[in-house]
Amino acid sequence: MSVTQQQVLDSLARIKSPRGVALANANVLSAISASDGKVFFSINVDAAEARAWESVRAEAEAAVRTIPGVTTVMVALTAERKPGSAPPPPPTPSRGTPGVQPVHAHKPPQGGQSPMARQSEIPGVAAVIAVASGKGGVGKSTTALNLALGLRDLGLKVGLLDADIYGPSVPRLTGLHDKPELNAERKMIPLRRFGLAIMSIGFLVEEETAMIWRGPMVMSAVTQMLRDVAWGELDVLVVDMPPGTGDAQLTLAQNVPLKGAVIVSTPQDLSLIDARRGLAMFRKVNVPVLGIVENMSYFQCPHCGTKSDIFGHGGARHEAEKLGVPFLGEIPLHMAIRATSDAGNPVVDSEPDGPHAAIYRAIAGQVRDQLKGVIAAA
């Protein structure tokens, strides 16, 4: 049963804004995306009123869920200061004014406690690790998937979350295009292939759909894919992070209970500069850096085996030594890795006895060893 935008608007008509105006008429709704039972939209309000609107957001999400045919709902609250306006004055505690707390009410974690320590663990998941890069185009998603498969080959129960909302690659890399189903608790059941539990925003929207979302909308989607998915019992959940080090990436790092991060870079200086920023971001939120991977480390001719350093060589190893983090390994620029990835049959699974699968499993072994004490010994 298809769901229309009008049905969504009708369901929101009975929800009132903090001023008593029907939500559908309050001029705060973004464009509504309704396709295949998946509904996405945001509520855009002034930053000074954000707290008062949170209950409205929750009511709106609950109302849309009651529409017949709706399987997934993501409603984000985006709060912005109006252009040209001054920051709102801090509310007086005696008035009990809803909104942002005064500055003195916000205290940093005491005793150097990590921001991650305030977050609740994902039920059944022993460790969540991020695979990140300072920039796009360095093979992060391919590395994340083959790392997950390498951990699987070491006897661990592994899941893979594609958190790259704007450019999800996991559906193509895995050859999966089905829609997740819901269980009795209305949680999404991750798709399974290669022995992995897999979730991606790409399973919920069409491949050609442009994700023109604000940061809070992205965070709402990622949170739902973490919390509203029946992951089951996992030793490790590998999160394919969005590239870059902007606000969305930092907020994600602060809200996901990460046990470590793997940085992916290519050898050349430009990529290493961005990798350095990515590493600095994780250190700022006290997330352990498990190490750096040098992807596209060299080109190996498939005919004669000659190695050519197209992007230079050894830069990531040198950077790891300089920054005092483990160097996890070198992955070549090779046609087999590219071809198997494009075909949805990653090299660790399709060529398990080949040299490239051995490289990924060696990297996975180092990651596993650093997670001992968090995950059960395999």
Side-chain angles (χ1 to χ4, degrees):
M1 181 183 298
S2 61
V3 180
T4 66
Q5 293 183 2
Q6 189 57 50
Q7 285 178 293
V8 175
L9 289 172
D10 291 344
S11 71
L12 299 177
R14 59 180 181 272
I15 307 298
K16 302 294 184 181
S17 75
R19 292 186 175 86
V21 179
L23 184 58
N25 300 323
N27 296 321
V28 295
L29 298 179
S30 70
I32 296 172
S33 173
S35 176
D36 296 326
K38 315 298 188 297
V39 178
F40 312 111
F41 63 92
S42 62
I43 301 174
N44 310 308
V45 301
D46 186 75
E49 301 178 350
R51 182 169 298 182
W53 277 88
E54 176 51 37
S55 61
V56 178
R57 186 208 64 79
E59 289 181 41
E61 189 169 280
V64 175
R65 287 187 188 278
T66 65
I67 301 174
V70 169
T71 58
T72 303
V73 182
M74 295 181 184
V75 180
L77 181 64
T78 64
E80 296 183 87
R81 185 173 301 152
K82 294 180 179 179
S85 65
T92 304
S94 61
R95 296 178 183 175
T97 306
V100 180
Q101 296 184 40
V103 172
H104 63 76
H106 296 273
K107 298 180 180 179
Q110 300 300 309
Q113 185 184 38
S114 166
M116 313 304 291
R118 300 196 303 269
Q119 306 305 317
S120 60
E121 301 288 340
I122 301 173
V125 179
V128 181
I129 65 171
V131 177
S133 63
K135 62 184 297 183
V138 299
K140 170 182 54 61
S141 295
T142 300
T143 302
L145 174 55
N146 283 293
L147 170 62
L149 292 170
L151 291 167
R152 175 209 64 181
D153 287 350
L154 296 175
L156 301 179
K157 292 176 288 186
V158 185
L160 176 66
L161 171 59
D162 182 0
D164 191 351
I165 300 298
Y166 295 116
S169 301
V170 165
R172 177 61 63 91
L173 293 173
T174 59
L176 290 172
H177 302 286
D178 297 330
K179 303 294 183 184
E181 297 181 353
L182 299 181
N183 64 10
E185 288 76 37
R186 297 191 65 79
K187 286 194 171 186
M188 289 182 285
I189 302 173
L191 303 185
R192 297 198 68 88
R193 194 176 184 198
F194 314 121
L196 305 177
I198 305 172
M199 179 55 63
S200 169
I201 193 68
F203 299 151
L204 305 176
V205 298
E206 298 302 323
E207 190 174 49
E208 296 80 14
T209 300
M211 306 297 286
I212 309 174
W213 288 0
R214 295 178 185 272
M217 190 74 168
V218 172
M219 291 311 306
S220 178
V222 172
T223 299
Q224 284 203 297
M225 288 193 294
L226 280 167
R227 304 294 178 185
D228 293 347
V229 171
W231 289 109
E233 297 294 323
L234 296 178
D235 294 306
V236 183
L237 176 61
V238 178
V239 181
D240 179 14
M241 297 274 281
T245 56
D247 180 67
Q249 290 76 19
L250 180 59
T251 305
L252 179 61
Q254 291 175 329
N255 281 274
V256 176
L258 296 172
K259 296 299 188 292
V262 172
I263 307 295
V264 180
S265 177
T266 52
Q268 74 267 41
D269 291 343
L270 185 60
S271 181
L272 289 168
I273 290 171
D274 293 315
R276 199 176 302 133
R277 294 191 184 106
L279 190 147
M281 177 191 73
F282 285 112
R283 282 181 165 172
K284 279 196 171 185
V285 292
N286 295 327
V287 175
V289 176
L290 303 175
I292 298 177
V293 173
E294 182 171 281
N295 198 31
M296 308 181 199
S297 182
Y298 54 87
F299 171 71
Q300 187 169 15
C301 176
H303 304 293
C304 65
T306 301
K307 293 183 179 181
S308 301
D309 299 333
I310 295 178
F311 299 115
H313 184 76
R317 182 189 294 274
H318 175 73
E319 195 68 25
E321 294 172 352
K322 176 181 175 182
L323 297 173
V325 299
F327 178 69
L328 299 178
E330 301 173 348
I331 301 171
L333 177 64
H334 197 278
M335 292 175 64
I337 298 175
R338 192 276 305 165
T340 55
S341 297
D342 287 350
N345 291 293
V347 71
V348 172
D349 195 81
S350 59
E351 300 179 13
D353 299 322
H356 306 120
I359 294 172
Y360 284 113
R361 276 195 293 270
I363 292 171
Q366 296 182 68
V367 170
R368 177 202 57 187
D369 291 345
Q370 293 188 68
L371 294 175
K372 284 182 178 177
V374 178
I375 59 177

